[in-house]
Amino acid sequence: MKAFARLYDALDETTSTSEKVAALAAYFRAAPPRDAAWAVHFLSGRRPKRLVGTGRLRAWAAEEAGVPEWLFEESYAAVGDLAETISLLLPENPASGDQPLSWWVEQRLLPLRGQDEAAQKLEMLQAWRELGRRERYVWTKLITGSFRVGASARLVVRALAEVSGVDEGTITHRLMGAWEPSPEFFEQLLAPDTRDADVGRPYPFYLAYQLEREPASLGEAGDWQAEWKWDGIRSQLVRRAGRTFLWSRGEELLSGRFPEVEEAAALLPDGTVLDGELLPWSGASPLPFAELQRRIGRKAVSRKILREVPVVLVAYDLLEEGAQDLRGRPLAERRERLARLLAGTSSGGRLVLSPAVEAAEWTGIVAARARAREMGAEGLMLKRRSSSYGVGRRRGDWWKWKVDPLSVDAVLMYAQPGSGRRAGLYTDYTFGVWDGDRLVPFAKAYSGLSDEEIRMVDAFVRRHTLEKFGPVRTVKPELVFELAFEGIQRSTRHKSGIAVRFPRIARWRVDKRAEEADTLEQVRSLLDAGPAAGAVPGPGTS
Amino acid sequence: MDRAVVTHAHRDHVAWGCGAYLAAAPGVEVLRRRLDPAARIRGVPYGEAVDMGGVRVSLHPAGHILGSAQVRLEHEGEIWVVSGDYKTEPDPTCTPFEPVRCHTFITECTFGLPIYRWPAAGGVLADIHAWWRANQLAGKTTLLFGYALGKAQRLIAGLDPAVGPILTHGAVERMTAAYREAGVPLPATTHVAASDRATWKRAIVVAPPSTDGSAWARRFGAQATALASGWMAVRGARRRSAVDRGFVISDHVDWPHLLEAIAQTGAERVWATHGYTGVLERWLREHGMDALAIETRYEGERDDAAAEAEEAPPS
């Protein structure tokens, strides 16, 4: 456990990716395979399903540390991380033994599941007493499930590739999907023989960067294929050996969640892999994302919800056909094959070819982008017709070109401390717009300000607090911010009657006084910006 | 103000332009460097009472920095003590904190949360030296940031010149000279401007936090940076400060010592200022004491503000 805690510190202490990879590689070389497998598991973002409720952890830690609940909460607000708060509050232990990471996970952590509260408490207190402060922190982080240390899954892949000499693509492939962190798995992960592609495994997703330049800078418009950029769940549909695997980009197996899509997929020939977007769909256009949210996370799908929110796979790429990996073929060819395949499959409209935006010149593409919101899309995807299907996020051949966000000038109403890097600073804000002479909370936003601005807003919050509710402070309505967001729709769950998607702070309008901020009426007028905005369109609309 | 009683010479505790200043004798040299050279400063030994309008005023060691003082006020048998900034941990560069019995104790509580418990300074200094040596091996100059007045000298006092040369930023060097004049023994230091470039990769450079990332600091090329501060106890603050390492060394009391210091005064009433005042007030009240959080213009030194509170135009 000490070696793993040291790795955690080493990753935490540097921002240099090469130093992080070196630290990871050193750990993987030295660690017993059983430990290394667990380290890969946690560092690549996997985590045990919640073993112990955080409410219990708080209560037990507060009791063990001898602090009242309110003081635990004050401490937590200053630290911004539960595991760290606990490790800072608990009494210091004399140096203890050093059991390996796998022992702490398999013998101490996983057995917590299914134990009753009293047994869990006993186990937790005992473990906290046995571990030194650093190890206690890391171990508790495994339990709270917030294990992030600035080592992305990609760095783990790079380190594993460095240690094994196996290429990054194969490592990525081996890390996708379901696996058990065992010594055998770790050895297989590094195995030089790379013919082990499992029947259910998807390909690594190819991701695009946002286009920040003029599209004309990409060269001839004719070399590019434009498609709508949908706001759904990016997915790969794998059909092999008579089985269907539906994967999300988060490498989560979605099988069983979207039965209508899987049913249609059964019509595809074996050895087929589609890349596309799961979207709630009606007629020829998507329903608002909020509708899809009603389906996400639901394992049991009722007939009612299937009827109300039908989901389709809008396919835009064909990665495998006839059990052949097509990723190296040019996009134009893959697209043509995809169109032919879907045309020959009677999927009942469940597998839809993502419509291309036909335009010979950039002017036509620019005009199409301006219509994206009407189409229920976030913007356009621009893909080089000659491009192969790559791995991960790369610049050059694929670009997302989102429409400019909607924006509203709103007034800061409430603030509360952030977490992690922003712990102890007031960085989580609620903004309001005017409804007559009173402000109505309208959106929350956490990001968009510079560190310097955050400090200034933080100082303002501290000096202009009107009321405190727990960690939340009501502030004097004085500061105005321009909020940008991607979509807007009616909501019965929000006081303002409006819900926005991906709100963030575009800039601090120091030039505006609170009275000059926007009104609810002005915000409502944005609802008419497109179909994704208003009520759900009926079948066949637009 | 006609007359000011100074607890210590940090900028947020001294106002310019007062008619006369009363300070603890060991801190006069340091204070003079922070004020108009013509300022009228009267130094009094610790414990010696001065009459001010019928109130007996005396200064007592606060252990914060050289010459730092608690202010004891006595009038018709009623005794109040204003703590100023203080710590009870040992510090070779200043007189140790002395508890002063009083009826009312006005205390700072910069680190007034139980998450703040300082590790032993010896262990932290060992970590600093290990880091310094690792940086030498990696070919990086070691930059250690701490307030130019107080923290920097405490760090320097703990550094081992056998590991490598100790270099200083101008603001640190000025205050270090003042400490030496006051008789505080410190290892030899060299002002960066007067140093030989060839020594940089082996050196540790002690500089104010505001120089991190400045043109002044970039001259050292490949470098490893660290901040020495109580705020470094929390990961979020460490990451926000954007230094490579955070070393937990503070010139303020941590939570257990804060409570201990309060108990030692025997005070029946405590006013909390500068820091987690609401927390301390509530804790003390729940423990049967008469406590009050007092509003000031400052919420106390904060982690991010801390880096800026302490001066130093690059030099």
Side-chain angles (χ1 to χ4, degrees), chain A residues 182-200:
Chain A
S182 62
E184 298 75 31
F185 168 75
F186 186 71
E187 273 151 20
Q188 172 56 29
L189 187 59
L190 305 185
D193 181 347
T194 58
R195 289 170 302 172
D196 54 330
D198 193 320
V199 63

Side-chain angles (χ1 to χ4, degrees), chain A residues 32-144:
Chain A
R34 188 177 287 274
D35 278 10
W38 279 110
V40 171
H41 175 88
F42 290 118
L43 291 168
S44 60
R46 280 155 219 260
R47 51 198 202 193
K49 293 237 166 51
R50 212 165 68 165
L51 298 160
V52 186
T54 54
R56 288 180 185 178
L57 289 178
R58 286 169 193 233
W60 300 337
E63 188 187 318
E64 178 80 351
V67 299
E69 193 190 321
W70 66 266
L71 188 51
F72 186 92
E73 294 308 318
E74 290 277 1
S75 299
Y76 180 42
V79 175
D81 179 280
L82 184 59
E84 188 183 359
T85 308
I86 290 172
S87 73
L88 289 171
L89 286 177
L90 292 178
E92 195 69 68
N93 296 330
S96 52
D98 185 22
Q99 294 284 351
L101 170 65
S102 54
W103 184 87
W104 274 104
V105 174
E106 294 168 12
Q107 305 297 320
R108 303 299 296 274
L109 191 142
L110 298 179
L112 291 169
R113 178 172 298 133
Q115 288 182 351
D116 63 29
E117 186 176 337
Q120 282 191 336
K121 180 178 177 183
L122 223 65
E123 266 299 311
M124 286 303 304
L125 293 183
Q126 187 54 35
W128 281 334
R129 287 170 195 155
E130 285 170 38
L131 290 163
R133 191 182 271 191
R134 296 302 305 159
E135 293 78 39
R136 186 157 65 195
Y137 165 61
V138 171
W139 191 71
T140 309
K141 260 189 116 53
L142 299 180
I143 294 173
T144 56

